[in-house]
Amino acid sequence: MLQIPRARADHPDEACGVIAGPAGTDRPERFIAMLNAARSPTFYEFDSMEQLRVWRELDDRDEEPVVIYHSHTATEAYPSRTDISLASEPGAHYLLVSTREPEQAEVRSYRIVDGVVTEEDVQVIGPGQEAGPRATAGAAE
């Protein structure tokens, strides 16, 4: 899982990026690490020019952001109120990696739609493998 080394490398600042996939497939295929313009241990923000470039590239390649990821450096891998209010891709999976423990990483995934957070199971698959149905692990507000 490429997000964990990236999160560790950017620690103590939050790491962020997307995993793109073919439009309409919900299949994450292409990892795109992005700059945390906030350079903060408690907040992430895509650089606006980089985000514009990446989203245009996604359109040109007929892709979409299947996963939007970022790390939490001192708290659990659960969306903060700010994360929830800024979630702007209702079709994306929001993957959070907590690097608060130096020897292990906590990885959790959510759907965030209209302020409602729904946790999902995380499946790690290798190249060429197909993911099975996603089961909902629970919901929280």
Side-chain angles (χ1 to χ4, degrees):
M1 192 172 262
L2 295 170
Q3 299 82 358
I4 295 172
R6 173 64 190 226
R8 292 263 182 241
D10 285 2
H11 193 88
D13 291 340
E14 290 192 3
C16 59
V18 301
I19 306 175
T25 67
D26 199 35
R27 193 173 66 235
E29 293 184 353
R30 190 166 63 94
F31 178 79
I32 305 167
M34 295 177 68
L35 174 68
N36 178 356
R39 299 185 196 271
S40 167
T42 59
F43 179 74
Y44 86 98
E45 177 180 27
F46 292 146
D47 175 81
S48 60
M49 293 305 294
E50 181 182 33
Q51 184 175 9
L52 179 62
R53 180 186 58 75
V54 168
W55 260 244
R56 283 183 176 163
E57 181 182 305
L58 295 178
D59 284 343
D60 290 347
R61 295 172 62 128
D62 198 26
E63 293 177 324
E64 61 190 4
V66 176
V67 175
I68 297 176
Y69 78 88
H70 75 280
S71 62
H72 282 186
T73 61
T75 60
E76 69 176 318
Y78 188 84
S80 68
R81 283 181 289 201
T82 302
D83 295 338
I84 294 165
S85 68
L86 296 177
S88 61
E89 295 287 341
H93 304 272
Y94 286 84
L95 188 80
L96 276 78
V97 177
S98 175
T99 58
R100 65 183 170 170
E101 298 294 332
E103 300 302 317
Q104 67 182 41
E106 175 188 13
V107 180
R108 295 167 73 185
S109 182
Y110 306 89
R111 291 286 190 158
I112 305 173
V113 180
D114 297 327
V116 176
V117 177
T118 306
E119 187 166 3
E120 312 175 290
D121 287 340
V122 175
Q123 291 182 320
V124 179
I125 59 171
Q129 293 178 309
E130 290 292 323
R134 295 185 198 280
T136 302
E141 293 184 285

